[in-house]
Amino acid sequence: MAADLILKSNAIFASTGDDTFAGAVAVQGNKIVYVGPAEGAEAFKGPDTRVLDLGDKMVAPGFHDSHLHFFQSAMYRSPYVVFCEGRSEQECVNALEAVENVRGKDDWMICYGWYHSLWDDPHEPSKKSLDAKYPDRPVCMHSGDAHTLWVNSKGLEKLGITKDSVPPKGGKYGKDENGELTGIIYETAGLALTRKFMQFSPEEVRAAFVQFIRDLNAQGITSVCDMSMMALPGSDFIQDEAYAQLEKSGELTVRVHMFPTLLDDLSRPEALRASYHSDKLRTPGLKQFFDGVSCTHTAYLKEPYSNAYFPGDHGRTTIPPEEMRALVLKAASKGWPVRIHTIGDEAIHLALDYFAEARETYGPLPKGQNCLEHLENFQPDDIARLKELDVLAACQPPHMVLDPDGEERDLGPERAKYMWPFHSYEQLGVKYAFGTDSPVVDINSMNVIYDAVTRQSPVNGYPEGGWQPHEKITVAQALRAYTRGSAMAAGRPEDLGTLEEGKLADLVVLDKNLLAVDPQEILSTSVVMTIADGEIVYEKE
């Protein structure tokens, strides 16, 4: 049977090796039926076959974002939310002017993106600055790392939070020296409130999802892992019904792998797995949270932070270790792969202990892949344990260049040497995957590759020579992590992530061969075509 589409190129990267080759890829329906020398594709050419001679443009597997939060990413791009990283507290407050009139006076005004550690005067903000400008309207400012809320007095009132309120375990309501609320809400306490201010109509959600899917395709992204946003029951923010409607209408042009929260009650993930099992939409695993983030000293460390806020300041777990252990063992007993948010070295160490116990007790998983998420700082011996226990490291390269100076302030120069150890993964044979953690950072595929290869900021090239340059990797290695590695994280290495006969036809075409250009040219490289499930879903004008 003839192919529907044949792509000829001098630079095909199959994600199975280190080099590109000149040849062709033939697609029939939604499957790849041929990969090899161009002359071999002639056997698949029919009267209706579309043949594209791409010259030196690069053909690669479609990119796969192994860790993002779809609902927040889509809605934060909508007209109802404004982005502001800002250089100061007041600049972020002023940014709210963009959403003053998009909703009713009693509705939430929402901003996201602030990082106080990056401000010219890096201090933690408070409700006072918001109250001064918006005393009568509820305001919520979601931090760029999605772990902290900054709200005004009207917002606290609308949320029903007083100085006597008790936060959920793993969270905290910020208070000043007099015991008054500051308007800063940390970790699970803030995450638990997200559903109260992130309220939109089904029509608003659908429109935002459709646009976000288009944005993903324009970045060459054909597959994502939608990770639970929080560990509390009913708050994973995974919109399965919205996905199902888009799949039915033919608008789901990105494969979605849903990872709901790992709880003692597994009824929701079991129901999702039973209901959604197509090539486009499925539930391959579960997600949990074990600690916070380094910049607020909520990531869980073995030793105290170098710039400790108080004696013994080494962060904390979001749930008791014994509870996490029990959850991992229960999931293993049911054959569920688990992905755990672990940023601090002690959170990573304990999670590996639990995976080891689960593996010893129940054997290897029947399908899928246990993963740790983020893994920003290691106890050195634990890097090799990832390989030994067959645990995949799901990483987000743009995270490491958000504030490298801040990471060294928090952890000190010795511990910083073991942060985001991509080269070490390669040397030790550790499986690893790339993504963005959107909306924490943007879904910019070239930034993902550039950051991993250069370990420099795509904005200003800082630091010169790259941060922790001994952990740089090659372009080919970065591409494999963003394709084949992410397919492993989704539990689908058998049909995604490489260009091989029989695999699903998800491909991206770039205007440059990334393996043949200076790393600085990665940032000026464009996606010219994206093919998802055998269909061209994006073409650059």
Side-chain angles (χ1 to χ4, degrees), residues 312-334:
D313 177 20
H314 61 97
R316 60 183 183 274
T317 59
T318 51
I319 64 174
E322 274 303 306
E323 184 176 334
M324 179 64 79
R325 172 182 172 271
L327 288 171
V328 170
L329 290 172
K330 179 167 185 175
S333 73
K334 303 290 186 181

Side-chain angles (χ1 to χ4, degrees), residues 395-401 420-423 426 432-435 444-458 465-482 519 522-523:
C395 317
Q396 300 75 42
H399 283 190
M400 70 182 165
V401 295
W420 291 284
F422 302 150
H423 179 69
E426 288 285 341
Y432 65 110
F434 282 167
N444 187 313
S445 292
M446 292 304 102
N447 282 4
V448 171
I449 303 300
Y450 176 85
D451 292 344
V453 171
T454 68
R455 298 177 77 94
Q456 294 173 285
S457 167
W467 188 69
Q468 306 299 336
H470 60 283
E471 291 293 355
K472 288 181 180 180
I473 56 175
T474 68
V475 170
Q477 290 165 344
L479 286 170
R480 284 200 299 271
Y482 201 28
I522 295 172
L523 294 176

Side-chain angles (χ1 to χ4, degrees), residues 242-261:
Y243 293 137
Q245 291 172 5
L246 292 171
E247 182 178 24
K248 186 176 180 180
S249 66
E251 295 171 283
L252 190 64
T253 56
V254 62
R255 301 185 198 280
V256 177
H257 305 89
M258 300 179 287
F259 286 81
T261 308

